[in-house]
Amino acid sequence: QVEVVESGGDSVQAGESLSLSCTVSGLNFGDYQMGWFRQAPGKEREAVACITWSGRLTAYGHSVKGRFTISRDNAESTVSLQMNSLVPEDTGMYYCAAVNDRTRMWTGTCSDDMDYWGKGTLVTISS
C-alpha cells in the first residue's frame, strides 16, 4: 500500500520561511517524479514545484519561482519544499504527489496528473 505523508505545515508571518517534507512508502521512490501542489480556499489546485526521479531537473510554478526550492533524498524516500519570503497568497493546503517516471515523460512543467497523493499539510501566512 502506497502512503504519501506531508508534514511541516504551520502558521507564520509574511516574510518568514517554512520547510515542508513528504515521506513516501510502498513504492520504489527512485522510479517516481515528485511534485508539490497547493490549493487555496475557493481556488483551484495549482502546481508549486516538481522534480525528476534523479533530482537533477526541477520546475516551479510562476508565483513561487525564485522563492521556493524542491529537493529529494532517494535514500530516505523524501521530498522537501523550502519556502522563503512567504506571502499571504502562499496560504493553502499543500499536497505532495508522485507519478511513475516510466509513464510520464518529463516536460519541464508540472502536471497534476499524478498517481498518488497525500492528504495535505496546511500553510497559513499572515500579513
Side-chain angles (χ1 to χ4, degrees), residues 4-90:
V4 179
V5 181
E6 305 93 337
S7 62
D10 203 351
S11 296
V12 299
Q13 297 282 327
E16 295 184 351
S17 298
L18 202 56
S19 181
L20 305 182
S21 184
C22 170
T23 301
V24 182
S25 61
L27 51 74
N28 189 356
F29 186 72
D31 287 341
Y32 284 76
Q33 298 174 29
M34 298 298 300
W36 284 97
F37 301 81
R38 69 186 182 189
Q39 187 165 22
K43 294 190 176 181
E44 290 189 359
R45 185 171 61 199
E46 64 171 328
V48 175
C50 48
I51 190 167
T52 55
W53 68 270
S54 65
R56 285 199 293 264
L57 298 176
T58 58
Y60 294 92
H62 218 57
S63 62
V64 307
K65 204 172 291 187
R67 299 188 297 122
F68 290 13
T69 303
I70 188 172
S71 61
R72 67 188 294 158
D73 184 337
N74 285 355
E76 297 293 328
S77 298
T78 60
V79 59
S80 299
L81 184 68
Q82 177 64 39
M83 306 186 293
N84 298 329
S85 302
L86 287 161
V87 297
E89 291 73 25
D90 293 320

